[in-house]
Amino acid sequence: EVQLVQSGAEVKKPGESLKISCKGSGYSFTSYWIGWVRQMPGKGLEWMGIIHPGDSDTRYSPSFQGQVTISADKSISTAYLQWSSLKASDTAMYYCARQAAAGIGAFDIWGQGTMVTVSS
Amino acid sequence: DIQMTQSPSSLSASVGDRVTITCQASQDISDYLNWYQQKPGKAPKLLIYDASILETGVPSRFSGSGSGTDFTFTISSLQPEDIATYYCQHYDNLPWTFGQGTKVEIK
Protein backbone atom coordinates (compact mmCIF):
# COMPACT_ATOMS: atom_id res chain seq x y z
CA GLU A 1 0.00 0.00 0.00
CA VAL A 2 1.29 3.41 -0.96
CA GLN A 3 1.22 5.67 2.07
CA LEU A 4 2.74 8.62 3.84
CA VAL A 5 2.85 8.45 7.62
CA GLN A 6 3.52 11.63 9.55
CA SER A 7 4.90 12.12 13.04
CA GLY A 8 2.59 12.84 15.93
CA ALA A 9 1.09 16.02 17.29
CA GLU A 10 3.41 18.56 18.89
CA VAL A 11 2.90 21.21 21.56
CA LYS A 12 5.67 23.78 21.70
CA LYS A 13 6.42 27.18 23.17
CA PRO A 14 7.20 30.28 21.10
CA GLY A 15 10.86 30.44 20.18
CA GLU A 16 11.38 26.67 20.31
CA SER A 17 12.55 24.64 17.34
CA LEU A 18 10.70 21.73 15.75
CA LYS A 19 11.15 19.15 13.02
CA ILE A 20 8.22 17.02 11.87
CA SER A 21 8.49 14.05 9.58
CA CYS A 22 6.72 12.26 6.76
CA LYS A 23 7.71 8.68 5.92
CA GLY A 24 6.82 7.20 2.57
CA SER A 25 6.30 3.51 1.87
CA GLY A 26 4.95 1.27 -0.86
CA TYR A 27 6.55 3.17 -3.72
CA SER A 28 9.90 4.48 -4.94
CA PHE A 29 10.36 7.42 -2.55
CA THR A 30 13.09 9.03 -4.65
CA SER A 31 10.94 9.16 -7.79
CA TYR A 32 8.19 11.51 -6.60
CA TRP A 33 8.20 15.06 -5.29
CA ILE A 34 6.85 15.55 -1.75
CA GLY A 35 5.04 18.74 -0.82
CA TRP A 36 3.95 20.36 2.42
CA VAL A 37 0.59 22.06 2.95
CA ARG A 38 -0.49 24.17 5.91
CA GLN A 39 -4.03 24.42 7.22
CA MET A 40 -4.55 26.90 10.01
CA PRO A 41 -7.49 26.22 12.36
CA GLY A 42 -10.76 26.62 10.50
CA LYS A 43 -9.00 27.86 7.38
CA GLY A 44 -8.11 26.68 3.89
CA LEU A 45 -5.11 24.95 2.37
CA GLU A 46 -1.80 26.74 1.75
CA TRP A 47 0.97 25.33 -0.43
CA MET A 48 4.28 25.72 1.41
CA GLY A 49 6.87 24.06 -0.77
CA ILE A 50 8.04 20.88 -2.40
CA ILE A 51 11.14 18.68 -2.43
CA HIS A 52 12.45 15.97 -4.72
CA PRO A 53 13.92 13.35 -2.37
CA GLY A 54 16.14 11.97 -5.12
CA ASP A 55 18.35 15.05 -5.32
CA SER A 56 16.87 17.31 -2.57
CA ASP A 57 15.88 19.96 -5.12
CA THR A 58 13.55 22.18 -3.08
CA ARG A 59 11.14 24.96 -4.02
CA TYR A 60 9.35 27.24 -1.57
CA SER A 61 6.34 29.47 -1.71
CA PRO A 62 7.51 33.06 -1.17
CA SER A 63 5.12 33.16 1.80
CA PHE A 64 7.14 30.45 3.55
CA GLN A 65 10.66 31.03 2.21
CA GLY A 66 12.93 31.72 5.16
CA GLN A 67 10.26 30.71 7.66
CA VAL A 68 10.64 26.94 7.36
CA THR A 69 13.11 24.43 5.98
CA ILE A 70 12.08 21.42 3.92
CA SER A 71 14.49 18.50 3.70
CA ALA A 72 14.58 14.79 3.00
CA ASP A 73 16.63 11.72 3.88
CA LYS A 74 16.24 9.29 1.02
CA SER A 75 18.02 6.52 2.93
CA ILE A 76 15.02 6.26 5.24
CA SER A 77 12.34 7.50 2.80
CA THR A 78 11.48 10.46 5.00
CA ALA A 79 10.79 14.11 4.33
CA TYR A 80 10.93 16.81 6.96
CA LEU A 81 9.54 20.23 7.74
CA GLN A 82 11.35 22.26 10.35
CA TRP A 83 11.25 25.55 12.19
CA SER A 84 14.14 27.18 14.04
CA SER A 85 11.99 29.53 16.10
CA LEU A 86 8.28 28.85 16.32
CA LYS A 87 5.63 31.55 16.59
CA ALA A 88 2.07 31.31 17.82
CA SER A 89 0.97 31.91 14.22
CA ASP A 90 2.61 28.59 13.24
CA THR A 91 -0.22 26.79 15.03
CA ALA A 92 -1.78 24.66 12.31
CA MET A 93 -2.24 21.23 10.82
CA TYR A 94 0.58 20.36 8.44
CA TYR A 95 0.14 17.79 5.70
CA CYS A 96 2.75 16.17 3.52
CA ALA A 97 1.60 14.91 0.14
CA ARG A 98 3.08 13.14 -2.88
CA GLN A 99 3.03 14.75 -6.29
CA ALA A 100 1.10 12.41 -8.57
CA ALA A 101 3.61 12.19 -11.40
CA ALA A 102 6.10 14.27 -13.30
CA GLY A 103 4.20 16.96 -15.16
CA ILE A 104 1.04 16.59 -13.08
CA GLY A 105 1.07 19.07 -10.25
CA ALA A 106 -1.50 17.26 -8.15
CA PHE A 107 -1.07 15.60 -4.78
CA ASP A 108 -2.43 12.06 -5.02
CA ILE A 109 -1.30 10.60 -1.69
CA TRP A 110 -1.55 12.55 1.56
CA GLY A 111 -0.24 11.96 5.05
CA GLN A 112 -2.66 11.99 7.95
CA GLY A 113 -1.45 15.40 9.10
CA THR A 114 0.59 16.65 12.05
CA MET A 115 -1.03 19.16 14.37
CA VAL A 116 1.44 21.73 15.68
CA THR A 117 0.33 23.90 18.59
CA VAL A 118 2.52 26.81 19.66
CA SER A 119 1.48 28.40 22.92
CA SER A 120 3.13 29.95 25.92
CA ASP B 1 1.29 34.51 -7.29
CA ILE B 2 -1.75 33.33 -9.19
CA GLN B 3 -4.93 33.89 -7.18
CA MET B 4 -7.67 31.26 -7.27
CA THR B 5 -11.19 32.46 -6.47
CA GLN B 6 -13.87 29.90 -5.74
CA SER B 7 -17.59 30.52 -5.56
CA PRO B 8 -19.73 30.10 -3.69
CA SER B 9 -17.91 29.87 -0.36
CA SER B 10 -20.66 27.59 0.89
CA LEU B 11 -23.82 25.98 -0.39
CA SER B 12 -26.68 23.87 0.86
CA ALA B 13 -28.40 21.37 -1.42
CA SER B 14 -30.67 18.36 -1.23
CA VAL B 15 -29.67 14.78 -1.82
CA GLY B 16 -29.88 14.12 -5.54
CA ASP B 17 -29.34 17.75 -6.53
CA ARG B 18 -26.81 18.85 -9.10
CA VAL B 19 -24.10 20.95 -7.43
CA THR B 20 -21.75 23.28 -9.26
CA ILE B 21 -18.70 25.11 -7.94
CA THR B 22 -16.65 27.56 -9.96
CA CYS B 23 -12.99 28.47 -9.72
CA GLN B 24 -11.46 31.46 -11.44
CA ALA B 25 -7.74 32.00 -11.89
CA SER B 26 -6.20 35.47 -11.92
CA GLN B 27 -4.38 34.59 -15.15
CA ASP B 28 -4.42 31.92 -17.84
CA ILE B 29 -3.44 28.54 -16.34
CA SER B 30 -4.35 26.36 -19.34
CA ASP B 31 -5.77 23.16 -17.81
CA TYR B 32 -3.35 22.99 -14.87
CA LEU B 33 -6.16 22.77 -12.37
CA ASN B 34 -7.01 20.15 -9.76
CA TRP B 35 -9.94 19.57 -7.41
CA TYR B 36 -9.79 18.10 -3.91
CA GLN B 37 -12.35 17.00 -1.36
CA GLN B 38 -11.69 17.43 2.35
CA LYS B 39 -14.00 15.88 4.90
CA PRO B 40 -13.95 17.19 8.49
CA GLY B 41 -10.89 16.02 10.39
CA LYS B 42 -9.42 14.29 7.35
CA ALA B 43 -6.67 14.94 4.85
CA PRO B 44 -7.67 16.24 1.42
CA LYS B 45 -8.35 13.74 -1.33
CA LEU B 46 -7.60 14.27 -5.01
CA LEU B 47 -10.73 13.99 -7.15
CA ILE B 48 -9.86 15.56 -10.50
CA TYR B 49 -6.60 16.62 -12.11
CA ASP B 50 -5.80 18.51 -15.28
CA ALA B 51 -9.21 20.17 -15.05
CA SER B 52 -11.27 17.19 -16.16
CA ILE B 53 -9.51 13.87 -15.55
CA LEU B 54 -11.11 11.77 -12.83
CA GLU B 55 -8.65 10.24 -10.39
CA THR B 56 -8.80 6.45 -10.24
CA GLY B 57 -11.54 5.19 -7.96
CA VAL B 58 -13.45 8.47 -7.78
CA PRO B 59 -17.19 8.11 -8.49
CA SER B 60 -18.35 9.27 -11.90
CA ARG B 61 -20.86 11.72 -10.39
CA PHE B 62 -17.89 14.05 -9.95
CA SER B 63 -16.69 15.95 -12.99
CA GLY B 64 -14.65 18.98 -13.94
CA SER B 65 -14.36 21.25 -16.95
CA GLY B 66 -12.79 24.45 -18.13
CA SER B 67 -9.51 25.90 -19.30
CA GLY B 68 -7.73 29.21 -19.26
CA THR B 69 -9.13 31.14 -16.32
CA ASP B 70 -12.58 29.66 -15.69
CA PHE B 71 -13.26 26.21 -14.31
CA THR B 72 -16.27 24.28 -13.07
CA PHE B 73 -16.60 21.35 -10.69
CA THR B 74 -19.87 19.42 -10.68
CA ILE B 75 -21.48 16.77 -8.54
CA SER B 76 -24.25 15.39 -10.75
CA SER B 77 -26.31 13.91 -7.94
CA LEU B 78 -25.36 14.96 -4.41
CA GLN B 79 -24.98 12.10 -1.93
CA PRO B 80 -24.82 12.32 1.87
CA GLU B 81 -21.18 11.19 1.82
CA ASP B 82 -20.27 14.19 -0.37
CA ILE B 83 -20.56 16.56 2.59
CA ALA B 84 -17.14 18.19 2.60
CA THR B 85 -15.15 21.25 1.63
CA TYR B 86 -13.91 21.31 -1.96
CA TYR B 87 -10.77 23.10 -3.10
CA CYS B 88 -9.37 23.95 -6.49
CA GLN B 89 -5.59 24.20 -6.93
CA HIS B 90 -3.51 25.38 -9.89
CA TYR B 91 -0.04 24.25 -10.87
CA ASP B 92 0.73 26.52 -13.79
CA ASN B 93 3.79 27.93 -12.04
CA LEU B 94 5.24 28.16 -8.55
CA PRO B 95 3.88 28.70 -6.04
CA TRP B 96 0.94 26.41 -6.56
CA THR B 97 -2.06 27.93 -4.81
CA PHE B 98 -5.45 26.73 -3.62
CA GLY B 99 -8.82 28.38 -3.80
CA GLN B 100 -10.36 29.36 -0.49
CA GLY B 101 -12.69 26.36 -0.48
CA THR B 102 -16.41 25.69 -0.89
CA LYS B 103 -18.25 24.02 1.95
CA VAL B 104 -21.05 21.74 0.76
CA GLU B 105 -23.86 20.88 3.17
CA ILE B 106 -27.08 18.92 2.92
CA LYS B 107 -30.31 20.90 3.05
Side-chain angles (χ1 to χ4, degrees):
Chain A
E1 179 191 7
V2 175
Q3 60 179 349
L4 296 172
V5 177
Q6 298 185 230
S7 49
E10 301 275 1
V11 179
K12 292 290 192 179
K13 294 185 180 341
E16 292 186 331
S17 63
L18 176 64
K19 191 174 189 177
I20 63 175
S21 67
C22 168
K23 183 174 176 61
S25 62
Y27 73 100
S28 175
F29 187 72
T30 56
S31 298
Y32 294 80
W33 292 77
I34 293 286
W36 288 93
V37 174
R38 182 175 79 174
Q39 187 167 39
M40 300 177 77
K43 302 299 183 182
L45 305 172
E46 300 174 89
W47 188 88
M48 302 176 71
I50 198 162
I51 186 167
H52 193 283
D55 60 7
S56 291
D57 184 6
T58 307
R59 318 289 173 85
Y60 293 92
S61 165
S63 298
F64 293 93
Q65 179 88 47
Q67 308 305 307
V68 297
T69 301
I70 294 171
S71 61
D73 184 341
K74 62 185 179 183
S75 70
I76 55 171
S77 300
T78 301
Y80 301 97
L81 178 65
Q82 68 181 91
W83 295 259
S84 59
S85 181
L86 286 159
K87 301 183 281 285
S89 57
D90 293 317
T91 294
M93 180 71 82
Y94 293 88
Y95 293 101
C96 64
R98 186 186 81 164
Q99 183 178 339
I104 299 177
F107 291 130
D108 65 343
I109 303 294
W110 291 69
Q112 81 277 20
T114 296
M115 183 67 207
V116 174
T117 302
V118 183
S119 174
S120 54
Chain B
D1 299 3
I2 296 174
Q3 307 304 314
M4 307 300 294
T5 303
Q6 281 182 240
S7 62
S9 56
S10 66
L11 66 89
S12 181
S14 300
V15 173
D17 282 354
R18 184 180 186 88
V19 169
T20 299
I21 298 168
T22 64
C23 180
Q24 185 170 60
S26 58
Q27 66 188 65
D28 188 337
I29 60 168
S30 185
D31 62 353
Y32 301 139
L33 191 283
N34 309 313
W35 291 95
Y36 298 86
Q37 175 193 65
Q38 187 179 32
K39 296 183 177 181
K42 299 294 187 182
K45 174 186 176 182
L46 177 65
L47 299 181
I48 290 169
Y49 63 93
D50 289 352
S52 62
I53 301 176
L54 207 62
E55 174 72 342
T56 303
V58 173
S60 60
R61 65 180 180 274
F62 297 103
S63 65
S65 64
S67 67
T69 60
D70 295 301
F71 302 85
T72 300
F73 171 82
T74 300
I75 307 173
S76 61
S77 177
L78 186 67
Q79 299 302 303
E81 61 266 32
D82 299 336
I83 299 314
T85 300
Y86 293 84
Y87 295 92
C88 62
Q89 172 241 320
H90 88 85
Y91 68 100
D92 181 66
N93 56 27
L94 295 179
W96 302 347
T97 52
F98 292 89
Q100 79 276 19
T102 296
K103 187 174 184 179
V104 174
E105 299 176 318
I106 295 286
K107 191 181 295 183

